[in-house]
Each structure stands twice: as structure tokens, then as C-alpha cells.
């Protein structure tokens, strides 16, 4: 009887490692391109498209300047100096606009920013405050701005006042307090360090422009790379959903207005340095300039969406328009009418975008298919 030698059982196919199908580089590149294109067509690329539109607007303004004043734009040194002038003109309002952008994205509004700048400027230029030197003046301006911003936040969040009413009341009260402190007089800044902020240049660029760049960079990082920024968008988009998600909406609202007040304190030092003085009437209508720049930059008045870069471009556009009217000898009244038209046009564009143009196009494509 023959013996059979045992043979090893073959391995089951299930035990074998699965082999992925070969990847076609052309298909992968096509998929990546399709993903990027869908991002550009959708809501994700809305901010980039708007910023490109703002840059195109700046180019158009420059072309208008070249056509209307070719004698000036033919001088390269004048063009560089005029560019720095525009950036200096935009620096103070730009810092205020950064704080305003956060407040509007968070679903609020702040009509008191100009009055806060005036109050902080007057407070830091009193004789008592100037006796502590530049450090005391800077600390005073920042503290006053921060404190008034906190009061605004408390009135809106815990006092349950409508932001429009709360900040309107603060605008009147802050202007009155500034007039009371200064006795309706102009207070001269005697500190050489503070006054030098407006005249010092680093690598040929004014220090005021560096301050604006630093505030914009800090605001961009805070909005786009931190939990604070994500919570701001959530609170502005849907406060009730944000509350259910565990966000302390009231506390966050206070922080937003405090941030706006802090930016006003920084702007007060910058404006005081430019004028070497402060008075209760300074920074008049800054709140309208800041709100307009934020709207032009794509910040929704209803909250929940906005960009710091867009707001900065909005400020620069308005400063360029002001400069363009100045070099052509046009009146301030005509300039204000043009600005008003731009604001109305921007709000109308926002209303169209708020209805989600991308969804409309998607429905159109589905119907065609």
C-alpha cells in the first residue's frame, strides 16, 4: 500500500495582499484640475475672484490717472512718492477697518469707531498723560480704546441692545466725553517719539505703512488660522447654531468689539502722530469709511463672511479715488457722490452673490443636461 506524501494547502486568495489598480498620471492630473476648477467656480473661490476684481479696479483707477494727468505719471519718482502718499492716507482708516471687519463678520456693526479714535487721541494727549512719556501715551490710547470696545460688547451681548443703537449711543457719548476732556480745544502732542511715527521711514517706506501691514497680517492670521476666526464666522453666520455647538456667543461678541476698540486705539496714536495734536472732532466719519471699505472688500453686512485682504483693498481703492480727485482738482462733493455710488453698487452685488450664484449655475447645468 503506497503512502501519499502530504502537500501544503494553497493560500487563499483572500489572504493575499490586495493589489491596487495601476494609476494613470494623466487621469490624476485631470482629476486635480477638475477639483481646482470646481473650487474656483464654487463658493470657495468667491473671495479670490472678488480680490482679483478689486485689483482690476485699482488698475482701472491708475489708468484713469495716467490718462488725466500724463505729465505727473510720466515721472517715476512722483509715481513712487504718490504711491506712498496713498498708502499713508489709507493707513489709519485701514487699521480701523480691520477691527470693523471682525465685528461685521461676527454679525454686528460698530458706528462708534471714529468717536473712539477721537476719545483715545484726546485722552493720550492730555498734559497729565504726556508727563509719562511716549509709553504712557500709547498705553493710555490702547487702554481707552479697549475699554470702550468692551463696553460696546457688553451692551450688545449682555444688555441685548441692537448693535446699531448701542454703538450709535456710544458714538455720541464718546464724542461728548472727548470734548469735555479737551474743553473743546486742540491738544498739541509734545512728544518727539509719538510725532516721529508719522515722519520716520524704514527702507524708504513710512513707518505708518509698516504698522498697517502688521495689523493686517495679525488680523489675517487671527481670522484664517485660529479658532477665534472660525468662531467669528460661525457666530456671524448662525448665532443659534454656534451656541448649540458649544460657542459662548456672548463672550465672543464682547471680544469682537474689544478687538475693534483696540484697533481704534492704535489708529488714535497714528492719527495723533500725523496731526501732532488731537481734538474731539478728529476721525470724523471714519465709521462710514471703514464700513464702506469692508463692504467693498466682500464682507457681508448680514455677517458670516468676509476677508481681511479684501477690506484692505477696499481701503486702498477709496484712498486712490481721493488721491485721483485731488491731483485733478475736483471737488470733495463729487468725490463723495462717487464713493456713495460705489457703496450702493457693492451692496447690490452682495445681494446677488448671497443668493448663491454657484447654485444657480449648477441648476442651469442640470437642466441643460
Amino acid at each position: 500500500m503506497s503512502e501519499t506524501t502530504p502537500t501544503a494547502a494553497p493560500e487563499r486568495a483572500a489572504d493575499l495582499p490586495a493589489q491596487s489598480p495601476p494609476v494613470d498620471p494623466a487621469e490624476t492630473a485631470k482629476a486635480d484640475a477638475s477639483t481646482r476648477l470646481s473650487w474656483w467656480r464654487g463658493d470657495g473661490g468667491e473671495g479670490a475672484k472678488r480680490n482679483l476684481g478689486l485689483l482690476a479696479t485699482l488698475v482701472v483707477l491708475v489708468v484713469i490717472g495716467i490718462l488725466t494727468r500724463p505729465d505727473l505719471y510720466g515721472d517715476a519718482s512722483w509715481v513712487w512718492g504718490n504711491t506712498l502718499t496713498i498708502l499713508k492716507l489709507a493707513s489709519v482708516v485701514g487699521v480701523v477697518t480691520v477691527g470693523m471687519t471682525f465685528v461685521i463678520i461676527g454679525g454686528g456693526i460698530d458706528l462708534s469707531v471714529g468717536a473712539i479714535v477721537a476719545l483715545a487721541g484726546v485722552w493720550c494727549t492730555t498734559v497729565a498723560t504726556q508727563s509719562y512719556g511716549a509709553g504712557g501715551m500709547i498705553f493710555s490710547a490702547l487702554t481707552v480704546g479697549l475699554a470702550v470696545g468692551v463696553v460696546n460688547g457688553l451692551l450688545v451681548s449682555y444688555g441685548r441692545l441692537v448693535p446699531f443703537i448701542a454703538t450709535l449711543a456710544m458714538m455720541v457719548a464718546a464724542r461728548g466725553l472727548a470734548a469735555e476732556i479737551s474743553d473743546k480745544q486742540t491738544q498739541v502732542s509734545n512728544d518727539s517719539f509719538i510725532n516721529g511715527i508719522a515722519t520716520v521711514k524704514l527702507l524708504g517706506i513710512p513707518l505708518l505703512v509698516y504698522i498697517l501691514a502688521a495689523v493686517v497680517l495679525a488680523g489675517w492670521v487671527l481670522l484664517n488660522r485660529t479658532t477665534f476666526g472660525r468662531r467669528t464666522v460661525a457666530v456671524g453666520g448662525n448665532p443659534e447654531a454656534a451656541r448649540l455647538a458649544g460657542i459662548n456667543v456672548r463672550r465672543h461678541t464682547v471680544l469682537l468689539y474689544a478687538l475693534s476698540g483696540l484697533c481704534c486705539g492704535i489708529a488714535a496714536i497714528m492719527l495723533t502722530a500725523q496731526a501732532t495734536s488731537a481734538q474731539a472732532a478728529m476721525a470724523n466719519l471714519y465709521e462710514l469709511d471703514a464700513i464702506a471699505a469692508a463692504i467693498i472688500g466682500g464682507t457681508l453686512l448680514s455677517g458670516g463672511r468676509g476677508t481681511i485682504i479684501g477690506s484692505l483693498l477696499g481701503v486702498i481703492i477709496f484712498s486712490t479715488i481721493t488721491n485721483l480727485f485731488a491731483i485733478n482738482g475736483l471737488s470733495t462733493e463729487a468725490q463723495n457722490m462717487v464713493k456713495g455710488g460705489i457703496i450702493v453698487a457693492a451692496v447690490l452685488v452682495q445681494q446677488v452673490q448671497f443668493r448663491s450664484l454657484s447654485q444657480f449655475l449648477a441648476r442651469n447645468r442640470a437642466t441643460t443636461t
Side-chain angles (χ1 to χ4, degrees), residues 51-67 73 313 316-317 320-321 324:
N51 290 342
L52 287 176
L54 295 174
L55 289 174
T57 303
L58 280 175
V59 172
V60 171
L61 292 175
V62 172
V63 171
I64 293 175
I66 294 174
L67 295 177
Y73 278 88
L313 292 175
I316 295 177
I317 285 175
T320 304
I321 292 174
L324 192 61

Side-chain angles (χ1 to χ4, degrees), residues 25-320:
E27 291 295 331
T28 304
K30 185 177 179 180
D32 293 341
S34 177
T35 302
R36 289 192 296 267
L37 190 60
S38 63
W39 170 84
W40 176 259
R41 289 175 176 174
D43 293 337
E46 193 62 42
K49 287 185 284 188
R50 174 174 285 274
N51 290 342
L52 287 176
L54 295 174
L55 289 174
T57 303
L58 280 175
V59 172
V60 171
L61 292 175
V62 172
V63 171
I64 293 175
I66 294 174
L67 295 177
T68 55
R69 293 303 304 269
D71 54 327
L72 296 178
Y73 278 88
D75 186 358
S77 60
W78 181 89
V79 172
W80 173 247
N82 188 58
T83 302
L84 294 180
T85 299
I86 292 174
L87 292 177
K88 284 184 64 176
L89 185 64
S91 60
V92 180
V93 179
V95 171
V96 176
T97 303
V98 171
M100 180 70 76
T101 301
F102 274 93
V103 172
I104 297 178
I105 293 175
I109 196 74
D110 192 350
L111 300 180
S112 64
V113 289
I116 296 175
V117 172
L119 178 59
V122 166
W123 203 306
C124 76
T125 53
T126 60
V127 176
T129 304
Q130 292 194 56
S131 63
Y132 291 97
M137 295 177 67
I138 294 174
F139 176 79
S140 175
L142 297 181
T143 302
V144 169
L146 183 63
V148 177
V150 169
V151 172
N152 277 335
L154 291 175
L155 291 175
V156 171
S157 58
Y158 293 94
R160 297 184 180 277
L161 293 181
V162 178
F164 181 89
I165 299 299
T167 56
L168 180 64
M170 182 58 71
M171 178 181 69
V172 177
R175 290 281 183 190
L177 181 57
E180 181 68 23
I181 293 175
S182 62
D183 197 21
K184 299 180 181 180
Q185 302 295 321
T186 300
Q187 298 181 165
V188 179
S189 171
N190 298 316
D191 191 276
S192 58
F193 179 84
I194 296 295
N195 297 340
I197 293 176
T199 57
V200 170
K201 291 185 177 182
L202 300 176
L203 301 177
I205 300 176
L207 182 59
L208 291 174
V209 179
Y210 285 104
I211 296 175
L212 172 61
V215 173
V216 168
L217 178 61
W220 185 89
V221 172
L222 189 61
L223 181 62
N224 297 281
R225 293 293 183 267
T226 64
T227 305
F228 183 87
R230 290 190 290 271
R231 289 178 177 176
T232 300
V233 174
V235 170
N238 192 327
E240 182 62 21
R243 185 187 66 82
L244 294 176
I247 299 175
N248 191 330
V249 176
R250 291 184 177 182
R251 183 179 63 186
H252 194 83
T253 300
V254 174
L255 293 176
L256 289 176
Y257 282 94
L259 178 61
S260 177
L262 183 63
C263 289
C264 291
I266 298 173
I269 293 294
M270 299 168 67
L271 191 58
T272 300
Q274 285 183 307
T276 66
S277 62
Q279 56 179 329
M282 69 189 295
N284 189 33
L285 297 181
Y286 270 34
E287 55 276 358
L288 299 184
D289 291 339
I291 293 172
I295 294 173
I296 292 296
T299 303
L300 289 179
L301 280 174
S302 57
R305 180 182 297 183
T307 63
I308 298 298
I309 300 300
S311 296
L312 174 63
L313 292 175
V315 173
I316 295 177
I317 285 175
F318 278 123
S319 299
T320 304

